[in-house]
Amino acid sequence: MSAADTRRGWLKGAAAAAAGLWLTGCNKVNDNPRVQAALQSAEGLTRRAHRLLISRKALAQEFTEADIARDFRANGSISPSDDAYRALLETGFKDYRLVVDGLVDKPLSLTLAEVRALTSRTQITRHDCVEGWSSIGKWKGARLGPLLDLAGLKDTARYIVFHCADSLEMTLDGSGQYYESIDLIDAYHPQTILAYEMNGKVLPVAHGAPLRLRVERQLGYKHAKYVMRIEAVSDFAQIGRGKGGYWEDRGYEWYAGI
Ligand SMILES: Nc1nc2c(c(=O)[nH]1)N[C@H]1C(S)=C(S)[C@@H](COP(=O)(O)O)O[C@H]1N2
Ligand SMILES: [Mo]
Protein backbone atom coordinates (compact mmCIF):
# COMPACT_ATOMS: atom_id res chain seq x y z
CA MET A 1 0.00 0.00 0.00
CA SER A 2 1.46 3.37 -1.01
CA ALA A 3 1.52 6.43 1.23
CA ALA A 4 -1.17 7.97 -0.96
CA ASP A 5 -3.38 4.91 -0.51
CA THR A 6 -2.86 5.01 3.24
CA ARG A 7 -3.74 8.69 3.30
CA ARG A 8 -6.78 8.08 1.14
CA GLY A 9 -7.96 5.32 3.47
CA TRP A 10 -7.46 7.59 6.45
CA LEU A 11 -9.34 10.43 4.80
CA LYS A 12 -12.25 8.12 4.06
CA GLY A 13 -12.37 7.31 7.77
CA ALA A 14 -12.13 11.00 8.60
CA ALA A 15 -15.03 11.78 6.30
CA ALA A 16 -17.13 9.13 8.01
CA ALA A 17 -16.14 10.56 11.40
CA ALA A 18 -17.11 14.03 10.27
CA ALA A 19 -20.47 12.79 9.06
CA GLY A 20 -21.01 11.25 12.51
CA LEU A 21 -20.12 14.47 14.32
CA TRP A 22 -22.40 16.36 12.01
CA LEU A 23 -25.35 14.24 13.09
CA THR A 24 -24.61 14.80 16.78
CA GLY A 25 -24.03 18.53 16.23
CA CYS A 26 -26.88 19.88 18.38
CA ASN A 27 -26.36 22.52 21.07
CA LYS A 28 -27.10 20.32 24.09
CA VAL A 29 -24.41 17.86 23.09
CA ASN A 30 -22.00 20.68 22.37
CA ASP A 31 -22.54 22.19 25.85
CA ASN A 32 -21.30 19.07 27.57
CA PRO A 33 -17.63 19.78 28.59
CA ARG A 34 -16.54 16.21 27.87
CA VAL A 35 -18.00 16.46 24.40
CA GLN A 36 -16.38 19.89 24.06
CA ALA A 37 -12.97 18.40 24.76
CA ALA A 38 -13.58 15.54 22.36
CA LEU A 39 -14.69 17.94 19.70
CA GLN A 40 -11.63 20.11 20.22
CA SER A 41 -9.25 17.21 19.86
CA ALA A 42 -11.13 16.17 16.77
CA GLU A 43 -11.10 19.67 15.37
CA GLY A 44 -8.07 19.20 13.16
CA LEU A 45 -9.55 15.97 11.93
CA THR A 46 -12.95 17.42 11.12
CA ARG A 47 -11.40 20.45 9.46
CA ARG A 48 -9.45 18.19 7.13
CA ALA A 49 -12.48 15.97 6.53
CA HIS A 50 -14.58 19.04 5.83
CA ARG A 51 -12.01 20.21 3.30
CA LEU A 52 -12.17 16.77 1.68
CA LEU A 53 -15.95 16.87 1.47
CA ILE A 54 -15.83 20.31 -0.10
CA SER A 55 -13.12 19.27 -2.52
CA ARG A 56 -15.17 16.31 -3.67
CA LYS A 57 -17.81 18.74 -4.87
CA ALA A 58 -15.36 21.01 -6.66
CA LEU A 59 -15.33 20.98 -10.44
CA ALA A 60 -12.55 19.27 -12.35
CA GLN A 61 -10.51 21.70 -14.45
CA GLU A 62 -12.04 22.50 -17.82
CA PHE A 63 -10.03 23.38 -20.91
CA THR A 64 -10.52 25.22 -24.20
CA GLU A 65 -11.19 23.92 -27.71
CA ALA A 66 -7.52 24.58 -28.51
CA ASP A 67 -6.48 22.06 -25.83
CA ILE A 68 -8.44 19.14 -27.32
CA ALA A 69 -6.15 16.22 -28.17
CA ARG A 70 -5.98 15.47 -31.88
CA ASP A 71 -5.61 11.80 -31.12
CA PHE A 72 -7.45 10.94 -27.90
CA ARG A 73 -6.27 7.52 -26.90
CA ALA A 74 -8.77 4.63 -26.67
CA ASN A 75 -8.10 2.06 -23.97
CA GLY A 76 -9.43 -1.23 -22.58
CA SER A 77 -12.27 -2.54 -24.75
CA ILE A 78 -12.32 -0.68 -28.03
CA SER A 79 -14.61 -2.96 -30.06
CA PRO A 80 -16.69 -5.31 -27.89
CA SER A 81 -17.21 -8.72 -29.49
CA ASP A 82 -20.16 -9.66 -27.24
CA ASP A 83 -23.08 -10.83 -29.40
CA ALA A 84 -25.72 -8.61 -27.80
CA TYR A 85 -23.54 -5.55 -28.38
CA ARG A 86 -22.72 -6.48 -32.00
CA ALA A 87 -26.46 -6.89 -32.69
CA LEU A 88 -27.26 -3.43 -31.30
CA LEU A 89 -24.37 -1.85 -33.21
CA GLU A 90 -25.41 -3.42 -36.52
CA THR A 91 -28.76 -1.64 -36.40
CA GLY A 92 -27.35 1.69 -35.32
CA PHE A 93 -28.45 1.20 -31.69
CA LYS A 94 -32.12 1.66 -32.62
CA ASP A 95 -33.05 -1.15 -30.20
CA TYR A 96 -30.75 0.10 -27.47
CA ARG A 97 -32.40 0.87 -24.14
CA LEU A 98 -30.72 2.39 -21.14
CA VAL A 99 -32.16 0.57 -18.15
CA VAL A 100 -32.24 2.32 -14.77
CA ASP A 101 -33.32 0.04 -11.96
CA GLY A 102 -32.46 -1.32 -8.52
CA LEU A 103 -33.35 0.88 -5.52
CA VAL A 104 -35.52 3.34 -7.47
CA ASP A 105 -39.21 4.21 -7.24
CA LYS A 106 -39.71 4.18 -10.99
CA PRO A 107 -37.47 1.92 -13.10
CA LEU A 108 -36.70 3.41 -16.52
CA SER A 109 -35.97 2.02 -19.96
CA LEU A 110 -34.91 4.87 -22.25
CA THR A 111 -34.17 5.06 -25.96
CA LEU A 112 -31.13 7.06 -27.05
CA ALA A 113 -33.46 9.81 -28.28
CA GLU A 114 -34.95 9.98 -24.80
CA VAL A 115 -31.49 10.14 -23.21
CA ARG A 116 -30.53 12.94 -25.61
CA ALA A 117 -33.61 14.90 -24.55
CA LEU A 118 -32.52 14.94 -20.88
CA THR A 119 -30.69 17.81 -19.16
CA SER A 120 -27.24 17.82 -20.72
CA ARG A 121 -23.81 19.28 -20.08
CA THR A 122 -20.82 19.84 -22.35
CA GLN A 123 -17.31 19.93 -20.93
CA ILE A 124 -13.69 19.83 -22.09
CA THR A 125 -11.76 17.80 -19.56
CA ARG A 126 -8.61 15.76 -19.13
CA HIS A 127 -8.88 11.99 -18.89
CA ASP A 128 -6.20 10.47 -16.66
CA CYS A 129 -5.54 6.76 -17.04
CA VAL A 130 -3.85 4.91 -14.22
CA GLU A 131 -1.37 3.59 -16.79
CA GLY A 132 0.14 7.06 -16.92
CA TRP A 133 -1.31 8.78 -19.97
CA SER A 134 -3.79 11.66 -20.26
CA SER A 135 -5.87 13.08 -23.11
CA ILE A 136 -8.11 16.13 -23.28
CA GLY A 137 -11.50 15.74 -24.93
CA LYS A 138 -14.86 17.42 -25.23
CA TRP A 139 -17.86 15.51 -23.99
CA LYS A 140 -21.59 16.09 -24.18
CA GLY A 141 -24.05 13.95 -22.29
CA ALA A 142 -27.02 13.63 -19.99
CA ARG A 143 -26.33 14.70 -16.42
CA LEU A 144 -26.58 11.66 -14.18
CA GLY A 145 -28.12 13.49 -11.19
CA PRO A 146 -31.32 14.63 -12.94
CA LEU A 147 -31.60 11.20 -14.60
CA LEU A 148 -31.49 9.51 -11.20
CA ASP A 149 -34.09 11.98 -9.95
CA LEU A 150 -36.39 10.91 -12.78
CA ALA A 151 -36.18 7.33 -11.53
CA GLY A 152 -36.37 8.50 -7.89
CA LEU A 153 -33.69 7.00 -5.65
CA LYS A 154 -34.94 5.17 -2.59
CA ASP A 155 -33.46 6.20 0.79
CA THR A 156 -31.50 2.96 0.94
CA ALA A 157 -29.58 3.68 -2.29
CA ARG A 158 -25.91 4.48 -1.62
CA TYR A 159 -24.06 3.56 -4.80
CA ILE A 160 -24.72 3.63 -8.51
CA VAL A 161 -23.51 0.63 -10.51
CA PHE A 162 -22.87 0.77 -14.26
CA HIS A 163 -23.24 -2.52 -16.11
CA CYS A 164 -21.41 -2.53 -19.44
CA ALA A 165 -21.86 -4.51 -22.66
CA ASP A 166 -18.26 -5.69 -22.98
CA SER A 167 -16.47 -8.67 -21.50
CA LEU A 168 -12.76 -8.12 -21.00
CA GLU A 169 -12.44 -11.73 -19.97
CA MET A 170 -14.68 -14.45 -21.38
CA THR A 171 -16.04 -16.38 -18.39
CA LEU A 172 -19.01 -18.70 -17.97
CA ASP A 173 -20.40 -16.83 -14.96
CA GLY A 174 -20.25 -13.41 -16.60
CA SER A 175 -17.72 -12.11 -14.06
CA GLY A 176 -15.52 -10.96 -16.94
CA GLN A 177 -18.01 -8.29 -17.91
CA TYR A 178 -16.94 -4.72 -17.25
CA TYR A 179 -18.77 -2.82 -14.55
CA GLU A 180 -18.10 0.12 -12.26
CA SER A 181 -19.67 1.90 -9.32
CA ILE A 182 -19.59 5.37 -7.78
CA ASP A 183 -21.09 6.92 -4.67
CA LEU A 184 -23.86 9.52 -4.62
CA ILE A 185 -21.46 12.46 -4.27
CA ASP A 186 -19.94 11.61 -7.64
CA ALA A 187 -23.31 10.61 -9.09
CA TYR A 188 -24.74 14.07 -8.38
CA HIS A 189 -21.56 15.97 -9.26
CA PRO A 190 -22.46 18.45 -12.04
CA GLN A 191 -19.75 17.11 -14.37
CA THR A 192 -20.91 13.51 -14.08
CA ILE A 193 -22.59 12.73 -17.38
CA LEU A 194 -23.56 9.84 -19.63
CA ALA A 195 -21.80 11.02 -22.75
CA TYR A 196 -23.21 10.38 -26.22
CA GLU A 197 -20.97 12.89 -28.04
CA MET A 198 -17.20 13.25 -28.14
CA ASN A 199 -15.47 16.25 -29.72
CA GLY A 200 -18.74 17.38 -31.31
CA LYS A 201 -19.49 14.06 -33.01
CA VAL A 202 -21.50 10.95 -32.13
CA LEU A 203 -19.53 8.94 -29.57
CA PRO A 204 -17.34 6.43 -31.45
CA VAL A 205 -17.42 2.72 -30.64
CA ALA A 206 -13.80 2.79 -29.43
CA HIS A 207 -14.76 5.34 -26.78
CA GLY A 208 -17.89 3.58 -25.52
CA ALA A 209 -20.82 4.06 -27.92
CA PRO A 210 -23.63 4.60 -27.49
CA LEU A 211 -23.22 5.84 -23.89
CA ARG A 212 -20.23 6.15 -21.58
CA LEU A 213 -19.81 7.59 -18.14
CA ARG A 214 -17.70 10.69 -17.56
CA VAL A 215 -16.99 11.06 -13.85
CA GLU A 216 -14.39 13.77 -14.01
CA ARG A 217 -13.07 13.63 -10.45
CA GLN A 218 -12.01 10.02 -10.88
CA LEU A 219 -9.31 8.10 -12.76
CA GLY A 220 -9.99 6.59 -16.19
CA TYR A 221 -11.10 3.11 -15.20
CA LYS A 222 -14.12 4.54 -13.33
CA HIS A 223 -15.42 5.98 -16.65
CA ALA A 224 -17.54 3.00 -17.72
CA LYS A 225 -17.96 2.69 -21.50
CA TYR A 226 -20.79 0.78 -23.30
CA VAL A 227 -23.22 1.43 -20.41
CA MET A 228 -26.33 -0.73 -20.70
CA ARG A 229 -27.81 -0.62 -17.27
CA ILE A 230 -27.58 1.65 -14.24
CA GLU A 231 -28.45 0.04 -10.95
CA ALA A 232 -28.94 1.81 -7.62
CA VAL A 233 -27.74 -0.37 -4.73
CA SER A 234 -27.12 -0.19 -0.99
CA ASP A 235 -23.87 -2.12 -1.34
CA PHE A 236 -22.08 -4.01 -4.09
CA ALA A 237 -21.02 -7.16 -2.26
CA GLN A 238 -23.23 -9.32 -4.50
CA ILE A 239 -22.13 -7.76 -7.79
CA GLY A 240 -19.24 -9.22 -9.80
CA ARG A 241 -16.63 -10.36 -7.30
CA GLY A 242 -17.83 -7.82 -4.77
CA LYS A 243 -15.31 -4.97 -4.94
CA GLY A 244 -17.38 -2.51 -6.95
CA GLY A 245 -15.79 -2.78 -10.38
CA TYR A 246 -14.04 -4.97 -12.90
CA TRP A 247 -10.58 -3.63 -12.06
CA GLU A 248 -11.40 -3.29 -8.36
CA ASP A 249 -12.16 -7.04 -8.38
CA ARG A 250 -8.61 -7.43 -9.72
CA GLY A 251 -6.87 -5.24 -7.14
CA TYR A 252 -7.46 -1.59 -8.06
CA GLU A 253 -8.72 0.92 -5.47
CA TRP A 254 -12.48 1.53 -5.51
CA TYR A 255 -11.97 5.21 -4.70
CA ALA A 256 -9.86 6.65 -7.52
CA GLY A 257 -10.43 10.35 -6.82
CA ILE A 258 -8.25 12.93 -8.54
N1 LIG B 1 -16.80 -0.91 -20.52
C1 LIG B 1 -15.53 -0.53 -20.36
N2 LIG B 1 -15.28 0.66 -19.82
C2 LIG B 1 -14.01 1.09 -19.65
C3 LIG B 1 -12.90 0.27 -19.98
C4 LIG B 1 -13.19 -1.01 -20.56
O1 LIG B 1 -12.29 -1.79 -20.91
N3 LIG B 1 -14.52 -1.37 -20.72
N4 LIG B 1 -11.61 0.71 -19.76
C5 LIG B 1 -11.45 1.83 -18.80
C6 LIG B 1 -10.14 2.47 -18.82
S1 LIG B 1 -8.87 1.73 -17.99
C7 LIG B 1 -9.96 3.70 -19.38
S2 LIG B 1 -8.48 4.54 -19.28
C8 LIG B 1 -11.03 4.34 -20.15
C9 LIG B 1 -10.58 4.59 -21.57
O2 LIG B 1 -11.52 5.38 -22.22
P1 LIG B 1 -11.22 5.78 -23.72
O3 LIG B 1 -11.17 4.52 -24.53
O4 LIG B 1 -12.31 6.69 -24.15
O5 LIG B 1 -9.87 6.46 -23.72
O6 LIG B 1 -12.22 3.58 -20.19
C10 LIG B 1 -12.51 2.89 -19.01
N5 LIG B 1 -13.82 2.32 -19.13
MO1 LIG C 1 -7.31 3.39 -17.70
Side-chain angles (χ1 to χ4, degrees):
M1 208 151 119
S2 72
D5 289 340
T6 311
R7 196 190 58 225
R8 232 180 249 149
W10 181 85
L11 284 171
K12 267 188 277 182
L21 286 172
W22 211 313
L23 292 175
T24 61
C26 76
N27 287 335
K28 276 209 190 88
V29 171
N30 285 354
D31 287 346
N32 179 321
R34 296 259 281 283
V35 173
Q36 272 288 330
L39 281 175
Q40 260 156 33
S41 75
E43 198 183 282
L45 184 74
T46 52
R47 197 180 293 143
R48 267 163 287 173
H50 186 67
R51 206 176 290 147
L52 176 78
L53 289 175
I54 289 190
S55 78
R56 289 209 54 202
K57 290 183 181 170
L59 295 184
Q61 185 179 357
E62 294 195 11
F63 299 82
T64 68
E65 301 269 345
D67 300 315
I68 295 174
R70 267 194 262 144
D71 194 13
F72 195 111
R73 202 150 141 186
N75 201 38
S77 291
I78 55 170
S79 179
S81 55
D82 303 66
D83 291 344
Y85 183 80
R86 299 313 305 180
L88 289 171
L89 175 62
E90 262 157 41
T91 50
F93 297 111
K94 78 173 166 47
D95 296 323
Y96 172 88
R97 295 291 181 276
L98 173 68
V99 170
V100 183
D101 63 4
L103 299 173
V104 296
D105 294 327
K106 196 178 136 220
L108 306 173
S109 172
L110 305 173
T111 64
L112 279 178
E114 287 169 328
V115 173
R116 285 172 166 273
L118 299 171
T119 309
S120 72
R121 191 176 199 280
T122 303
Q123 57 211 30
I124 300 174
T125 52
R126 193 186 61 224
H127 179 96
D128 295 315
C129 174
V130 76
E131 293 165 11
W133 58 270
S134 303
S135 293
I136 292 175
K138 178 172 160 180
W139 306 96
K140 180 181 183 189
R143 282 199 48 210
L144 184 61
L147 170 60
L148 294 175
D149 286 342
L150 263 189
L153 288 185
K154 292 191 188 293
D155 290 345
T156 45
R158 291 187 58 202
Y159 304 100
I160 306 300
V161 179
F162 302 86
H163 298 278
C164 306
D166 59 312
S167 304
L168 273 186
E169 236 179 68
M170 291 298 170
T171 60
L172 289 177
D173 64 357
S175 67
Q177 207 149 23
Y178 206 89
Y179 77 102
E180 257 305 336
S181 60
I182 59 176
D183 64 16
L184 296 184
I185 296 179
D186 272 321
Y188 280 89
H189 188 284
Q191 289 168 318
T192 299
I193 60 175
L194 287 167
Y196 41 73
E197 271 183 30
M198 179 189 190
N199 298 336
K201 299 198 182 82
V202 173
L203 183 68
V205 168
H207 294 286
L211 277 185
R212 69 92 53 83
L213 179 67
R214 293 297 312 168
V215 51
E216 304 293 354
R217 299 296 312 281
Q218 299 278 336
L219 285 172
Y221 61 90
K222 303 297 288 187
H223 298 231
K225 307 197 283 188
Y226 317 109
V227 174
M228 306 298 288
R229 175 176 166 225
I230 296 176
E231 184 187 10
V233 299
S234 57
D235 74 273
F236 37 71
Q238 305 305 317
I239 298 171
R241 296 179 189 167
K243 298 282 168 42
Y246 178 89
W247 285 116
E248 288 84 335
D249 284 341
R250 289 154 183 83
Y252 283 34
E253 290 273 339
W254 177 79
Y255 184 72
I258 47 177

